[in-house]
Amino acid sequence: MLELLMTMPSVTNNPDMWNAVLARDASRDGSFVFAVRSTGIYCRPSCPARRPRREQVEFFPLPEAAEQEGFRACKRCKPRGAKSNDPRSDLVRRICHAIDDHDEEPRTLQRLSAEIGVSAHHLQRTFKQVMGITPRQYAESQRLKKFKANVKGGASVTDAMYSAGYGSSRGLYEKSSAQLGMTPATYGRGGKGMRIVYTLADSALGRLLVAATERGVCAVALGDSDSELTANLFAEYPQASIDSRDTRISPSLNLWLSEVLESLSGNPKRIDLPLDIQATAFQWRVWEELRRIPFGATRSYQEIAQAIGKPKAVRAVARACASNHAALVIPCHRVIREDKSLGGYRWGLERKRKLLEKERG
Ligand SMILES: [Zn+2]
C-alpha cells in the first residue's frame, strides 16, 4: 500500500558543483542545475541572481529532475535552455520531453525507443541511472502532478482527471490511493466527503484509537482519554463525516484494530495494513523508510534523511515523523536522535520509551 514511485536522487554534498555556483561558472551550464529550497526555484550555475545559503541548495543532473521534485525554472537564467555537453543527459531530456508531449496517452517503452531511436534496454537503463526512476514511473508521476495541480486549482475531480490524461477513473484510483494517500474524490478538501469510522480500545500503552475509511486505516493514535483521542480525530478531518458505528466499514475496522493490538504484544513484528492517509510525496518517502526499520532496531533522523537521498533534510524528516497519522503501523517511534536520546513522539515520550524497551526485548 505504501508503494512509493518517486525517488529522485539529488546530487548532494558536491563541493565542486557548489564552487561552480559561487563562481557563476558558465562553462558548467548544462552539466547540472541547482535548486533553492526556500524559493522553490532552480537555476543554471551561471545565473546572475544572488547566491543562497549552501544549506538551502540541492543539485540535480537535469532541469527535468529538479522539476520532478517540484522546483520551477528561474525566469532570469532560463535553465531549460542550457545546452548539455553530456550525451546521456541529452538522451534523458529527449525521453522526458517525448513523455511530457504525450501524457494523454502514455508511451510504451517500445514506442519511446522507436521514437528516440535507441534500444529499449539502453533507454531504460540510462534513464534510470540519471533520473533514479524508470520512464514509466516518470510518466506516472508527471500525470499525478498535473492532476494534483488541477484539483488544487479548483477543477472538478473528473475534469482534472481527464485533463491530466487519465483515461478512466479506475486508473486514477489505483494510482492515487498509493501516491496521494487519499482518494481523488476527497483530496484537497480537508477530508470532505470522506466517511470515517473509528473505534477505541484499551492497550498496554493506554487508550488506542483506530479510524478507517472504506479504503483503509486513516488514523491510529494513543492517548490517555477517549475524548482527547476523538477530538484530535475530528480536528484532523474537519470536513469528514465521522462516526463510531458504520456497519459497512466495521468488520474491517475490527480486524485492523485487532492487528494493531496484536502488534503491541510483539506478534506479528510487522503490521501491514492498507492506509488511506493524505500526505506529500516527501512524507510518503520518509514513512516508507520508517517501515523498513526492523522490529527491535532504531535509526536516527539523520540516517533516515540519508536513506531517502536527502542528507540535509534532517529537520524535514523529523517533521514528517511528527506528522505521522498512523502510530505503530508507520513505526516513527523507531527514529531517535543521533545521540541516542529519544527525540519527540506525537503520542507521548513515555510511550515511545516503553515501546522501544519492549521491542528490544
Ligand atoms: Zn536563475
Side-chain angles (χ1 to χ4, degrees):
M1 267 295 153
L2 278 170
E3 178 194 12
L4 205 56
L5 296 179
M6 290 164 279
T7 29
M8 184 65 49
S10 61
V11 198
T12 38
N13 276 331
N14 194 324
D16 163 58
M17 287 177 174
W18 178 236
N19 288 336
V21 168
L22 289 177
R24 296 187 167 80
D25 182 353
S27 74
R28 303 298 300 280
D29 286 2
S31 63
F32 71 92
V33 296
F34 71 101
V36 184
R37 282 194 212 103
S38 51
T39 59
I41 303 281
Y42 73 90
C43 291
R44 56 168 90 193
S46 71
C47 181
R50 240 187 82 214
R51 288 309 179 242
R53 294 205 320 274
R54 172 67 186 88
E55 57 268 31
Q56 288 294 328
V57 171
E58 275 179 68
F59 300 103
F60 293 95
L62 304 171
E64 288 73 13
E67 285 177 23
Q68 177 69 26
E69 285 288 280
F71 291 102
R72 280 166 296 124
C74 170
K75 293 213 166 95
R76 210 160 151 192
C77 69
K78 302 197 170 56
R80 286 185 75 105
K83 265 203 91 52
S84 150
N85 35 29
D86 173 4
R88 278 180 0 136
S89 302
D90 278 340
L91 174 60
V92 171
R93 293 195 71 185
R94 273 162 60 213
I95 301 168
C96 288
H97 299 162
I99 293 171
D100 292 345
D101 290 347
H102 294 281
D103 59 357
E104 74 285 352
E105 178 212 347
R107 287 290 197 250
T108 62
L109 193 55
Q110 278 62 37
R111 279 195 70 176
L112 270 176
S113 125
E115 208 173 302
I116 308 271
V118 297
S119 80
H121 174 74
H122 179 61
L123 186 151
Q124 172 101 343
R125 213 186 48 183
T126 310
F127 194 92
K128 181 93 199 261
Q129 275 168 0
V130 174
M131 296 289 280
I133 53 178
T134 65
R136 194 201 151 109
Q137 289 169 332
Y138 174 81
E140 280 171 1
S141 110
Q142 290 295 92
R143 275 208 304 183
L144 193 66
K145 215 155 61 182
K146 199 164 164 191
F147 168 75
K148 285 196 211 176
N150 290 342
V151 170
K152 284 198 178 121
S156 80
V157 169
T158 317
D159 288 348
M161 204 173 76
Y162 284 107
S163 60
Y166 289 101
S168 73
S169 57
R170 191 143 176 272
L172 178 58
Y173 273 80
E174 279 160 8
K175 291 293 160 253
S176 63
S177 48
Q179 291 187 359
L180 296 178
M182 212 182 216
T183 57
T186 56
Y187 178 73
R189 282 180 275 161
K192 191 171 180 188
M194 222 177 158
R195 297 187 49 198
I196 298 176
V197 54
Y198 68 93
T199 185
L200 292 143
D202 263 325
S203 81
L205 294 171
R207 294 295 282 170
L208 169 73
L209 175 143
V210 177
T213 68
E214 282 173 285
R215 308 179 64 82
V217 170
C218 65
V220 177
L222 293 157
D224 296 327
S225 77
D226 292 4
S227 55
E228 165 205 333
L229 286 166
T230 45
N232 285 338
L233 179 66
F234 279 83
E236 254 170 59
Y237 298 101
Q239 302 290 326
S241 116
I242 302 179
D243 198 338
S244 57
R245 290 172 309 277
D246 183 320
T247 47
R248 263 188 320 153
I249 308 175
S250 293
S252 347
L253 181 67
N254 290 335
L255 180 74
W256 294 332
L257 170 72
S258 66
E259 284 192 41
V260 174
L261 283 172
E262 275 168 27
S263 84
L264 268 177
S265 61
N267 193 23
K269 299 205 182 309
R270 187 187 151 87
I271 333 176
D272 227 343
L273 301 182
L275 293 173
D276 191 11
I277 292 173
Q278 183 172 30
T280 64
F282 181 82
Q283 286 172 318
W284 281 121
R285 281 164 74 171
V286 172
W287 296 346
E288 175 67 5
E289 202 53 46
L290 301 187
R291 304 231 307 176
R292 293 207 183 98
I293 310 175
F295 185 93
T298 56
R299 297 281 183 273
S300 68
Y301 295 102
Q302 182 70 57
E303 284 170 319
I304 298 294
Q306 255 150 14
I308 62 166
K310 303 240 169 218
K312 297 265 168 197
V314 180
R315 255 186 285 166
V317 164
R319 273 198 304 277
C321 291
S323 61
N324 178 17
H325 295 277
L328 311 162
V329 182
I330 298 169
C332 61
H333 60 275
R334 292 180 195 150
V335 189
I336 59 175
R337 293 219 182 101
E338 223 160 359
D339 63 7
K340 304 285 174 205
S341 67
L342 285 182
Y345 192 50
R346 185 171 177 181
W347 298 283
L349 268 187
E350 187 53 26
R351 288 197 177 90
K352 184 174 187 174
R353 195 184 57 74
K354 277 191 189 157
L355 266 169
L356 289 175
E357 263 174 18
K358 207 165 182 163
E359 293 191 357
R360 282 182 192 126

